[in-house]
Amino acid sequence: IIPSSQFNINFRYTVTIVPYDAFGADGNGFLEIKQFTESPNILRPFVPINLKIETGDKQLSLLWNIDTKNEDVEFYKVYRALYNIYQRSRNFLLLATLPSSLNSFTDFTAENEVSYTYFVTAVDTHGTESLNPVDDGHITTNAVSATPSASLSLTSPDGLIASAGSNNTDVELSWDISAGVFDGYEILRSIGNNYSFEIIGQVFVSELSYIDTDALLVHEQNYYYIVRKYRDEVSLIVKSSSVLEDDQISIGKVTTMNGTSNISIDLSPVVNIANLEDPIADLINAAIAVHHHSNDTDGSSGIDKRIELRSNVHISDWTTNDYQVFTTQEDIEGAVNYFLQVSGEINEDYFTINEILDTAAFRQAQA
């Protein structure tokens, strides 16, 4: 019997009992994982495993594995403390409480060049929480640390201010002008918490304000906002050609004479960017139509693909210039396997030069 004074109800113990015979040889052991609590048969849930952290600009993101031990986890709690080599439990504060459907959390309140340590616990449907630093003075080895730092490409805008609009129903956002190469600002909003942000709008780089219309119509609702820069990553390839290539859309024709001293620009074929959707859609539909199982007996292919799916096609209209490379214009799309059958007949045309048959070579080939 082990006295209760040697156990603490705030900890989970692994108890191993191994029998030994009179000669000191050990037998099969018995292992039990037990949580000694004030109430019998109540065990604390395990802390989430494989906790990972990723750094960002004024933010740190946590990710952990969803519970797989069949525990009835209802919430996750995230604790944070300033990083310290000799970390103490009293340094931790509860940062957020998340539903069990989430296994990630982004701390948008982190400051650049400041190091933080995070700790995540689980809370079951009975309200019982894993051992934690606030209530139990416990720090797990699953704690992770990181330091956010400023982005080298897109710095975050500063001076974000949120205020009620003149009509008391809108939220007006404004921020300071910012340097850098980018295309605009994204506005994100989270309702009721500081972790479930969604993009609600975008503005051009020249604008420094945004109005969230009718956001204040819901009484006593808390809103959280983030404004960040974005840049459209598009690669532009410039090519010049005197002839319009296939599958391209002409937006103009430039003609030069005598170098650059005489230039004329023909804009008659120009398609407004707003109307590019139609010709692009036509090109896409034409490419897709090739693979449709439709009746095209009166069209370009002349094939009723509802019946013949090109599973067995015999091609005989081969052409050649050197009797070594043969080509055909027949449509063989849709086939999975191809079989090439070469006849055993010798073609006299291959041995005919200037309309004179090389009989000796022809007979030798036949032999």
Side-chain angles (χ1 to χ4, degrees):
I1 298 176
I2 303 176
S4 59
S5 60
Q6 298 186 19
F7 291 89
N8 189 316
I9 62 173
N10 293 322
F11 294 89
R12 183 190 298 265
Y13 293 88
T14 300
V15 180
T16 304
I17 301 176
V18 180
Y20 291 87
D21 61 16
F23 302 98
D26 58 332
N28 295 327
F30 172 82
L31 185 145
E32 174 76 13
I33 299 178
K34 182 69 175 178
Q35 173 78 44
F36 293 90
T37 61
E38 295 178 347
S39 300
N41 300 323
I42 297 180
L43 297 179
R44 297 195 182 206
F46 287 92
V47 297
I49 60 175
N50 294 332
L51 179 62
K52 300 177 181 179
I53 189 169
E54 294 183 358
T55 62
D57 187 353
K58 294 184 179 179
Q59 65 183 54
L60 292 170
S61 298
L62 302 175
L63 179 67
W64 58 89
N65 284 9
I66 291 291
D67 173 72
T68 58
K69 299 182 178 62
N70 296 321
E71 296 178 336
D72 295 327
V73 175
E74 187 171 6
F75 300 103
Y76 291 112
K77 289 188 174 183
V78 180
Y79 295 86
R80 187 184 76 176
L82 293 177
Y83 175 77
N84 194 308
I85 296 178
Y86 304 103
Q87 193 63 265
R88 298 180 181 275
S89 60
R90 64 172 177 264
N91 297 335
F92 284 88
L93 295 175
L94 178 62
L95 186 62
T97 301
L98 315 175
S100 59
S101 58
L102 298 179
N103 68 325
S104 63
F105 170 77
T106 299
D107 180 9
F108 293 102
T109 65
E111 294 292 333
N112 285 342
E113 309 307 327
V114 178
S115 300
Y116 299 90
T117 299
Y118 294 86
F119 183 88
V120 179
T121 64
V123 181
D124 64 20
T125 54
H126 304 287
T128 306
E129 183 180 359
S130 310
L131 295 174
N132 65 81
V134 173
D135 300 323
D136 309 309
H138 175 75
I139 304 176
T140 180
T141 56
N142 288 340
V144 293
S145 302
T147 306
S149 58
S151 172
L152 297 178
S153 57
L154 288 178
T155 58
S156 58
D158 294 321
L160 177 61
I161 298 175
S163 59
S166 57
N167 58 3
N168 292 323
T169 61
D170 300 340
V171 174
E172 296 182 357
L173 304 175
S174 63
W175 53 91
D176 296 338
I177 190 171
S178 181
V181 179
F182 57 100
D183 296 301
Y185 298 94
E186 285 182 337
I187 292 83
L188 296 85
R189 182 186 65 191
S190 179
I191 302 176
N193 59 67
N194 62 352
Y195 53 82
S196 57
F197 285 89
E198 296 182 350
I199 297 176
I200 61 172
Q202 294 177 331
V203 296
F204 292 115
V205 65
S206 57
E207 300 183 42
L208 299 175
S209 63
Y210 178 83
I211 297 179
D212 187 9
T213 306
D214 294 337
L216 300 180
L217 290 179
V218 180
H219 185 58
E220 295 186 352
Q221 182 66 271
N222 292 325
Y223 295 90
Y224 298 83
Y225 293 91
I226 291 177
V227 176
R228 65 186 182 190
K229 300 175 184 176
Y230 73 89
R231 181 168 58 210
D232 292 327
E233 299 292 348
V234 179
S235 298
L236 298 179
I237 300 176
V238 179
K239 296 175 60 178
S240 60
S241 174
S242 59
V243 179
L244 182 64
E245 299 181 11
D246 294 338
D247 299 330
Q248 292 186 352
I249 300 173
S250 175
I251 60 173
K253 181 179 180 180
V254 178
T255 304
T256 62
M257 297 179 62
N258 301 322
T260 58
S261 60
N262 190 354
I263 300 176
S264 63
I265 301 177
D266 180 11
L267 298 179
S268 59
V270 169
V271 178
N272 190 295
I273 292 179
N275 300 325
L276 278 179
E277 180 180 356
D278 293 336
I280 291 177
D282 292 340
L283 291 174
I284 294 175
N285 291 333
I288 295 176
V290 176
H291 306 283
H292 283 172
H293 295 163
S294 57
N295 185 3
D296 194 32
T297 53
D298 298 328
S300 58
S301 67
I303 299 173
D304 185 354
K305 294 184 179 180
R306 297 173 303 175
I307 302 172
E308 181 184 0
L309 300 182
R310 316 302 287 158
S311 60
N312 185 12
V313 180
H314 181 262
I315 309 300
S316 59
D317 60 339
W318 299 96
T319 59
T320 181
N321 293 324
D322 56 4
Y323 298 97
Q324 297 183 37
V325 177
F326 293 80
T327 60
T328 180
Q329 298 298 319
E330 184 73 22
D331 180 13
I332 60 174
E333 287 184 334
V336 176
N337 298 309
Y338 301 90
F339 298 91
L340 178 62
Q341 181 179 3
V342 181
S343 68
E345 298 179 359
I346 304 298
N347 193 331
E348 291 186 6
D349 292 338
Y350 182 72
F351 300 92
T352 301
I353 302 176
N354 296 328
E355 299 183 354
I356 299 176
L357 176 64
D358 185 347
T359 307
F362 180 66
R363 296 304 180 191
Q364 184 179 3
Q366 287 180 321

